C-alpha cells in the first residue's frame, strides 16, 4: 500500500469509519492497492445531508465576504498539503506527474482562490424602477426591483474519476461562496485525495456540516444522496448516470447542474495550420490518456488535406511514450481500471468490424502491469458507426472526411453530444461562422486552450446548466425578485 493512513468519512465536522467497512483503491499503473477507502452506509449519507441541512441557515446568513475569507483560508490549508497530495492523487488516478502536479492538484487551489475573490463582489442585479399603471391588483407608481441571488440550499456534489480534486473544487468553491452547504461524493475509483482535502476544510475553520464527504465503491452511495433531502444535485459524469439522476431529481424538483459526456468534433479545413491542428487533436492521446470529456476525439477533415493530416497525426501518436506515469518521459499513462480498458477495446473492435482502418495503435501495449491503451488512430470512419457516436474516454481518435462547409457542420452536429467542438481554419470569419452553427456548449477556434471565466457546459445529451467563472455562482443560486414602491 502506498499509504498506511486511515481514510474516513467527513460528516458534520467529524471523522467516521464507513458503516459498511472499506474497499481497496487500486493504482491503475501498478495494480497495487493505494489504500482502503471507507464504504459509507445509506444512513451515513443521511447523516451528512442532515448535517448540511442544519448548517445551512447560519452559513447562508454569513456575509459573502466572510465566506470568501474562509474559502481563502481553505485554499491556504490545502496548498500546505500539496507535497503530500501529489503522490496520492497520482497513485489513485494513474496520471502522469505533469498532469498530477498541475491540473490534478494546483488547479484545485486556484479554483478556491478564484471563488474566494468572486465572493467579495456583489452579484445581485439592481433593476431600473418601472412605471407601473393602476391595475385591479394594485395602485400604480414607480416600482423598484432587485434580482437577488439566494443560495439553493444543500447541494450534492457528485464527481467523476478523471480529475477528482479539480472537479470537486469546481463545484464546492462556487457552491460555498454563494452560501450553500455541500455533501461531496467522489468517484469510487479515486476518492482518497478528496478525503484528505477535508482535513484542509477542517483546519480552515469551516463550521461543521458545511462541507461533508461520503464515499462508497458502487452506485448506491450516490443514489442515496440524490434521493435524500437535498435541494440540488451538481453532477459530472456519464450521460446514462446523468439521465438517471435527472429522473430521480425531477420528482422533488431538485435543481440540477449536469455536466455529462462528450464526443468533441474537430473540423479541420483546407486552409488550417495543420501543425496547430495536430497538437490540439493530439491532446486526446497526450493529456490524461484521453480521459477528458472535452477532448477533440472526432476529426472531421477536408478531403484535400485528409491524407496529410492523417500522416501528421500518425507521426505524432507514434512518437508518444506509453508506460510508467512516474517516468519523466512518459506521455500516455494507463486508463483508470481494467473495466475502462475493456470498454475502450470493445469499442475499438466494433470500429474494426465496421471497416475502420487502424492507422496507429489498436493493440494493447505490453507492460508488466497496468491498464494501458495505445494511442490509436482510426480512419475511414462513418459518422453513424459506434466509434463516431460513443465516447471512448481513452486515447483514441477517429477521422471522418467532408467536402464542403455545410457537410462539415452536419457531421459535427450529427452526434447526441454537444459539449466541446473545435474548428481549425486560417479564415477567421469562417471559424466564427462555423462555430455559431455548431450545436455545442463550447467551441475552440484553432485552440484547445480554455478561458476559465467562460461559461462551461453542454448542449443536447452533454448536460444541463453552466458553470465556470461567475457562471458558477449563478449555477448555485436561485434568483429572487424583491419588489418595492418608491
Ligand atoms: P460515471 O457516470 O460512471 O460516475 C460519475 C459519478 O457518479 C461517480 O461518483 C459515481 O459513483 C456516481 N454514480 C454512479 N451511479 C450513480 C447513481 N445511480 N446515482 C448517483 N451517482 C451515481 O462517470 P465516470 O466514469 O466517473 O466519468 C467519466 C464520464 O464523465 C464520461 O462520460 C465523461 O465524459 C464524463 N465527464 C464529463 C465532464 C463534463 O464536464 N461534462 C467532465 C469530466 C467527465
Amino acid at each position: 500500500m502506498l499509504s498506511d493512513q486511515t481514510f474516513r468519512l467527513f460528516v458534520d465536522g467529524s471523522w467516521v469509519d464507513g458503516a459498511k467497512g472499506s474497499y481497496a483503491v487500486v493504482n491503475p499503473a501498478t495494480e497495487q492497492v493505494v489504500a482502503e477507502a471507507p464504504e459509507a452506509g445509506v444512513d451515513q449519507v443521511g447523516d451528512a445531508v442532515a448535517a448540511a441541512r442544519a448548517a445551512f441557515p447560519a452559513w447562508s446568513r454569513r456575509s459573502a465576504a466572510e465566506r470568501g475569507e474562509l474559502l481563502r483560508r481553505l485554499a491556504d490549508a490545502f496548498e500546505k498539503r500539496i507535497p503530500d497530495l501529489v503522490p496520492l492523487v497520482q497513485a489513485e488516478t494513474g496520471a502522469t506527474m505533469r498532469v498530477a502536479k498541475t491540473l490534478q492538484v494546483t488547479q484545485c487551489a486556484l479554483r478556491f482562490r478564484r471563488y474566494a475573490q468572486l465572493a467579495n463582489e456583489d452579484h445581485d442585479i439592481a433593476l431600473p424602477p418601472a412605471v407601473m399603471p393602476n391595475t385591479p391588483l394594485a395602485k400604480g407608481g414607480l416600482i423598484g426591483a432587485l434580482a437577488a441571488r439566494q443560495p439553493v440550499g444543500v447541494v450534492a456534489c457528485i464527481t467523476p474519476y478523471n480529475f477528482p480534486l479539480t472537479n470537486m473544487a469546481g463545484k464546492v468553491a462556487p457552491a460555498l461562496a454563494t452560501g450553500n452547504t455541500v455533501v461531496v461524493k467522489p468517484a469510487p475509483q479515486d476518492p482518497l485525495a478528496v478525503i484528505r482535502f477535508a482535513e484542509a476544510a477542517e483546519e480552515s475553520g469551516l463550521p461543521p456540516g458545511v462541507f461533508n464527504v461520503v464515499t462508497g465503491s458502487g452506485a448506491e452511495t450516490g443514489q442515496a444522496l440524490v434521493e435524500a433531502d437535498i435541494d440540488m444535485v451538481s453532477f459530472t459524469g456519464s450521460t446514462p448516470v446523468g439521465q438517471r439522476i435527472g429522473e430521480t431529481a425531477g420528482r422533488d424538483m431538485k435543481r440540477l447542474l449536469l455536466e455529462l459526456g462528450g464526443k468533441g468534433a474537430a473540423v479541420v479545413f483546407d486552409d488550417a495550420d495543420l501543425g496547430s491542428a495536430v497538437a490540439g487533436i493530439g491532446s486526446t492521446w497526450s493529456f490524461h490518456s484521453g480521459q477528458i470529456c472535452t477532448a477533440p476525439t472526432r476529426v472531421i477533415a477536408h478531403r484535400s488535406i485528409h491524407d496529410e493530416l492523417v500522416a501528421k497525426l500518425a507521426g505524432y501518436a507514434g512518437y508518444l511514450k506509453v508506460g510508467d506515469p512516474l517516468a519523466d518521459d512518459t506521455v500516455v499513462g494507463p486508463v483508470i481500471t481494467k473495466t475502462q480498458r475493456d470498454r475502450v477495446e470493445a469499442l475499438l473492435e466494433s470500429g474494426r468490424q465496421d471497416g475502420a482502418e487502424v492507422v496507429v495503435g489498436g493493440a494493447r501495449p505490453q507492460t508488466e502491469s497496468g491498464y494501458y491503451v495505445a494511442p490509436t488512430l482510426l480512419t475511414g470512419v462513418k459518422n453513424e458507426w459506434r466509434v463516431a457516436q460513443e465516447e471512448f474516454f481513452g486515447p483514441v481518435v477517429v477521422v471522418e472526411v467532408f467536402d464542403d462547409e455545410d457537410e462539415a457542420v452536419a457531421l459535427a452536429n450529427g452526434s447526441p453530444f454537444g459539449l466541446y467542438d473545435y474548428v481549425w481554419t486560417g479564415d477567421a470569419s469562417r471559424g466564427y461562422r462555423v462555430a455559431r452553427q455548431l450545436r455545442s456548449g463550447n467551441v475552440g477556434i484553432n485552440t484547445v486552450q480554455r478561458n476559465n471565466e467562460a461559461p462551461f457546459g453542454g448542449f443536447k445529451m452533454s448536460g444541463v446548466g453552466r458553470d465556470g467563472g461567475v457562471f458558477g455562482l449563478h449555477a448555485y443560486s436561485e434568483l429572487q425578485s424583491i419588489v418595492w414602491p418608491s
Side-chain angles (χ1 to χ4, degrees):
M1 276 206 270
L2 173 119
S3 172
D4 54 7
Q5 297 164 334
T6 306
F7 291 85
R8 296 196 171 90
L9 309 173
F10 188 64
V11 175
D12 203 11
S14 298
W15 295 95
V16 283
D17 288 326
K20 290 163 69 183
S22 65
Y23 69 94
V25 172
V26 173
N27 182 321
T30 64
E31 301 180 40
Q32 302 293 308
V33 174
V34 180
E36 292 282 318
E39 186 80 69
V42 167
D43 287 353
Q44 292 178 306
V45 174
D47 293 345
V49 170
R53 176 72 61 210
F56 175 70
W59 178 249
S60 59
R61 273 189 232 118
R62 287 206 185 196
S63 72
E66 268 182 287
R67 289 197 297 263
E69 174 56 20
L70 276 164
L71 291 188
R72 196 189 55 69
R73 275 199 247 158
L74 178 50
D76 291 345
F78 174 75
E79 275 180 352
K80 279 198 305 196
R81 291 168 167 79
I82 285 182
D84 292 338
L85 280 170
V86 169
L88 182 65
V89 80
Q90 187 287 320
E92 62 179 340
T93 60
T96 58
M97 276 314 251
R98 205 154 49 99
V99 171
K101 281 184 188 156
T102 54
L103 278 133
Q104 291 288 11
V105 178
T106 316
Q107 192 66 27
C108 170
L110 291 175
R111 287 188 165 180
F112 275 92
R113 293 216 181 281
R114 179 65 184 127
Y115 284 102
Q117 207 178 19
L118 282 169
N120 277 315
E121 296 168 13
D122 187 357
H123 299 281
D124 290 347
I125 306 161
L127 300 170
V131 179
M132 299 302 295
N134 282 324
T135 69
L137 177 68
K139 195 153 73 72
L142 198 54
I143 306 295
L146 176 75
R149 292 207 179 274
Q150 300 281 38
V152 182
V154 176
V155 182
C157 299
I158 304 179
T159 55
Y161 73 78
N162 57 344
F163 289 95
L165 282 169
T166 301
N167 202 281
M168 176 275 300
K171 297 180 182 308
V172 170
L176 295 185
T178 37
N180 302 278
T181 55
V182 299
V183 179
V184 174
K185 210 298 286 173
Q189 298 91 336
D190 49 17
L192 302 174
V194 173
I195 295 176
R196 282 280 164 267
F197 174 90
E199 290 175 359
E202 186 180 31
E203 183 188 315
S204 71
L206 275 186
V210 168
F211 174 87
N212 307 272
V213 181
V214 292
T215 59
S217 60
E220 193 189 28
T221 321
Q223 213 166 314
L225 184 54
V226 172
E227 285 169 5
D229 174 30
I230 54 165
D231 301 294
M232 172 173 175
V233 185
S234 172
F235 171 78
T236 301
S238 62
T239 296
V241 173
Q243 286 173 294
R244 224 165 303 146
I245 288 175
E247 285 168 15
T248 307
R251 290 204 291 269
D252 305 311
M253 220 50 83
K254 285 166 181 158
R255 281 15 183 192
L256 287 172
L257 175 63
L258 299 175
E259 305 275 15
L260 308 178
K263 185 80 184 176
V267 179
V268 185
F269 283 97
D270 49 357
D271 59 354
D273 172 346
L274 294 189
S276 160
V278 168
I281 294 160
S283 67
T284 303
W285 297 312
S286 62
F287 184 56
H288 207 26
S289 306
Q291 298 170 107
I292 172 152
C293 52
T294 55
T297 64
R298 194 164 59 103
V299 176
I300 297 171
H302 189 264
R303 193 174 298 280
S304 68
I305 48 89
H306 172 272
D307 292 355
E308 189 184 352
L309 179 65
V310 166
K312 284 184 187 309
L313 284 168
Y316 186 98
Y319 180 73
L320 303 174
K321 185 176 167 230
V322 182
D324 178 4
L326 294 176
D328 283 345
D329 56 346
T330 294
V331 182
V332 187
V335 297
I336 190 76
T337 53
K338 178 177 179 304
T339 310
Q340 178 60 12
R341 182 190 59 196
D342 292 349
R343 226 185 55 79
V344 172
E345 289 181 348
L347 192 50
L348 268 175
E349 186 48 34
S350 88
R352 277 199 194 90
Q353 297 291 327
D354 281 331
E357 186 188 344
V358 182
V359 177
V360 179
R364 187 184 294 181
Q366 295 305 308
T367 52
E368 272 179 24
S369 63
Y371 313 119
Y372 288 93
V373 177
T376 298
L377 181 65
L378 299 184
T379 59
V381 168
K382 299 271 177 281
N383 202 45
E384 61 274 18
W385 294 354
R386 282 181 60 206
V387 289
Q389 293 292 311
E390 296 179 21
E391 271 190 299
F392 275 99
F393 223 58
V396 182
V397 171
V398 305
V399 186
E400 305 175 39
V401 188
F402 75 90
D403 288 300
D404 64 40
E405 192 174 304
D406 286 348
E407 188 188 4
V409 169
L411 286 171
N413 287 339
S415 165
F417 298 112
L419 185 61
Y420 217 124
D421 286 344
Y422 303 84
V423 186
W424 268 275
T425 174
D427 176 345
S429 62
R430 171 152 70 183
Y432 180 73
R433 181 172 70 236
V434 170
R436 293 300 300 253
Q437 293 174 74
L438 294 174
R439 303 295 300 159
S440 175
N442 310 266
V443 181
I445 301 178
N446 296 327
T447 184
V448 291
Q449 186 51 277
R450 301 286 180 76
N451 178 332
N452 289 339
E453 300 304 308
F456 180 84
F459 282 18
K460 301 191 279 184
M461 297 300 270
S462 289
V464 174
R466 296 292 180 272
D467 60 12
V470 76
F471 303 95
L473 298 180
H474 299 178
Y476 295 94
S477 55
E478 296 263 34
L479 273 181
Q480 179 184 55
S481 294
I482 301 177
V483 176
W484 62 91
S486 303

